[in-house]
Amino acid sequence: RKILKREKFLHLSRSSYLFSKIGILVALSAIQTLMFVLVGNYILEIRGMLFHHWFILFATSCFANMLGLNISSAFNSAVTIYILIPLLLIPQLILSGVVVKFDKLNPRIGNVETVPLVGDLMASRWAFEAAMVTQFKENRYEREFFLYDKIMAESDFKKIYLIPEIQTKLQFALVNYRNPDPEIQKRVAKNLEVIRNEIGKELKTLRKQELLPLADFVPSHFDSSLYTKTSEFLTQLNNFYIRRYNAADKKKEEKVAALTDTKEKRAQFEVFRQQYHNESVAELVKNIGETNRIIEKDGKLIQKIFPVYKNPEPENLVDFNAQFYMPAKHFLNADLDTFYFNVAVIWLMSFLLAVTLYYDVLRKILKIPGDLAHRFEKK
């Protein structure tokens, strides 16, 4: 700040000074993160992820540089800055999705369906998710089978969790739709709302909206005939996902068989799998440890298992908010790969911090309480 004041007095360019400062820090960050990834990937035997890991860490380092420059420009005391550093780092650690799962946070700030706003504000959240998802789906082994595994995981969830849950709610509605108890009627209405929403999504996916009258899934229109039609549809839907799972499984097995048709190839394939597949990362992004694999919220059934195989389900063109570890984000009517989207978000955050640094926004904000107190003292 002292240098900036001197250069301003001499009518020198503020932007030139800042860009030169930023340029040096960016160059150093590029070198340091590259060295870190080279050594780290060599020791951990991570193959084929050099560029992805480097670019994620490089983007995050640039964000950290801009954050540090803003703090350095805004405060008068180095002691104050040293005190602030842990206060800035701790939220980045806790709210990154590593230490505490987002759906386990306090309900006021957490979210069981998507990443909450407090998580979206953390650069560490975007970096960690990009690193884990990319490490899982872009390694050479998983790339061979990701499409098949995705179809199988989706089919598994539908036939094991989603369809049985809908059938349970449908059965409850049949037994109780004539029950005069107001509380029972509320529950019936809630169950029918869930059934309507979930079956509506399935009909839209299959492009067969005419099969069931969705508007009739309300207590006043529901009856045994609708129950029968819906049960038949759910049976057909279950069979559809069984066939879909079996077809994908067969293609995967054929591909594995082609890669392991000799003893020598089998040995090579096993080495290939061990070199590129990381079981801990796979368990993390598949969320296999989650006990509640399907939950109900706001009239919808939410899938909690296999997020890395899920497709975005946007509510509008710019609805990029999604469950943690999903392979893509929806933005401007397109599904963008998590790696590119997350890194772009980190760069955008860095750009915004560069703007606040140029206009000295943080220092001006911090001056407001002092100015108000000074005016109050004068009065």
Side-chain angles (χ1 to χ4, degrees):
R1 190 169 62 255
K2 291 179 180 179
I3 297 174
L4 283 172
K5 284 182 178 179
R6 183 190 66 194
E7 296 202 352
K8 184 179 180 181
F9 177 76
L10 296 173
H11 302 289
L12 298 176
S13 171
R14 174 183 176 85
S15 59
S16 295
Y17 170 75
L18 290 176
F19 290 147
S20 66
K21 186 87 171 177
I22 292 169
I24 292 172
L25 291 174
V26 166
L28 286 173
S29 294
I31 296 169
Q32 288 176 332
T33 50
L34 179 61
M35 292 171 63
F36 180 85
V37 173
L38 283 171
V39 174
N41 286 12
Y42 174 77
I43 293 173
L44 297 174
E45 298 183 357
I46 299 174
R47 295 173 172 82
M49 291 286 115
L50 178 64
F51 170 76
H52 294 89
H53 286 170
W54 170 75
F55 198 59
I56 292 167
L57 290 181
F58 172 55
T60 311
S61 296
C62 291
F63 167 83
N65 288 333
M66 299 313 306
L67 185 62
L69 288 173
N70 271 271
I71 295 168
S72 177
S73 175
F75 292 95
N76 296 321
S77 169
V79 175
T80 305
I81 295 173
Y82 294 148
I83 294 171
L84 277 174
I85 289 173
L87 299 179
L88 293 170
L89 287 178
I90 290 170
Q92 294 286 345
L93 293 172
I94 294 176
L95 299 174
S96 64
V98 184
V99 179
V100 182
K101 289 184 177 181
F102 291 118
D103 55 1
K104 304 299 188 227
L105 293 172
N106 188 302
R108 292 184 179 181
I109 63 171
N111 192 334
V112 297
E113 185 177 2
T114 61
V115 177
L117 178 62
V118 291
D120 287 337
L121 296 176
M122 301 296 131
S124 55
R125 163 264 197 269
W126 298 101
F128 180 70
E129 182 186 40
M132 291 298 99
V133 171
T134 305
Q135 172 71 43
F136 175 75
K137 68 186 284 283
E138 296 299 333
N139 70 77
R140 285 183 57 193
Y141 173 81
E142 191 61 35
R143 276 206 308 262
E144 297 286 335
F145 308 107
F146 184 79
L147 180 60
Y148 306 127
D149 290 339
K150 185 177 185 296
I151 295 171
M152 291 163 65
E154 179 186 352
S155 302
D156 245 358
F157 171 76
K158 295 292 177 71
K159 60 190 179 69
I160 295 175
Y161 300 105
L162 182 68
I163 294 174
E165 187 70 20
I166 295 174
Q167 288 172 330
T168 301
K169 293 182 179 298
L170 187 66
Q171 184 66 35
F172 180 87
L174 177 66
V175 173
N176 296 283
Y177 77 99
R178 289 181 177 175
N179 192 317
D181 188 333
E183 292 300 321
I184 296 294
Q185 282 299 304
K186 285 182 182 180
R187 189 173 169 189
V188 169
K190 190 176 181 182
N191 284 356
L192 289 175
E193 180 188 6
V194 172
I195 295 169
R196 182 176 65 249
N197 291 335
E198 295 304 321
I199 288 183
K201 287 192 288 187
E202 294 300 320
L203 290 173
K204 186 177 180 181
T205 302
L206 298 173
R207 296 180 182 179
K208 293 184 178 181
Q209 287 93 332
E210 72 282 355
L211 287 181
L212 285 172
L214 295 177
D216 289 347
F217 284 98
V218 291
S220 58
H221 290 76
F222 184 80
D223 55 23
S224 58
S225 62
L226 182 57
Y227 168 83
T228 302
K229 289 180 184 178
T230 308
S231 294
E232 291 173 354
F233 169 73
L234 291 174
T235 300
Q236 295 171 5
L237 188 66
N238 188 66
N239 293 334
F240 167 76
Y241 281 117
I242 290 173
R243 292 193 300 271
R244 199 162 181 254
Y245 179 94
N246 291 339
D249 186 46
K250 182 180 178 182
K251 289 182 180 179
K252 182 179 178 180
E253 290 299 324
E254 288 173 354
K255 192 162 191 175
V256 172
L259 295 170
T260 60
D261 54 0
T262 65
K263 186 177 180 179
E264 183 180 343
K265 282 187 177 181
R266 282 196 294 272
Q268 291 175 349
F269 181 79
E270 185 58 28
V271 171
F272 172 62
R273 189 187 70 81
Q274 290 181 1
Q275 285 180 338
Y276 291 96
H277 182 67
N278 188 305
E279 291 183 3
S280 295
V281 172
E283 289 178 6
L284 190 69
V285 298
K286 291 180 183 179
N287 203 22
I288 294 174
E290 177 61 52
T291 53
N292 299 317
R293 300 190 168 188
I294 184 171
I295 61 173
E296 181 184 336
K297 183 188 177 187
D298 300 332
K300 296 183 292 184
L301 294 175
I302 300 167
Q303 176 182 341
K304 298 298 291 181
I305 192 174
F306 303 138
V308 76
Y309 294 127
K310 281 183 65 178
N311 292 322
E313 297 177 351
E315 295 182 358
N316 52 62
L317 289 177
V318 294
D319 183 16
F320 59 84
N321 201 11
Q323 193 172 338
F324 206 42
Y325 300 131
M326 282 180 65
K329 303 289 189 300
H330 187 86
F331 189 72
L332 297 180
N333 209 27
D335 290 346
L336 305 177
D337 187 273
T338 290
F339 169 74
Y340 297 107
F341 185 87
N342 285 24
V343 171
V345 170
I346 298 172
W347 282 114
L348 177 61
M349 295 169 78
S350 301
F351 173 76
L352 292 176
L353 286 175
V355 172
T356 60
L357 177 65
Y358 181 80
Y359 290 105
D360 215 7
V361 173
L362 183 57
R363 184 168 182 81
K364 290 175 181 176
I365 292 173
L366 293 173
K367 283 179 65 179
I368 292 174
D371 292 343
L372 291 174
H374 184 65
R375 290 177 186 178
F376 182 77
E377 287 176 2
K378 280 187 175 181
K379 288 181 180 180

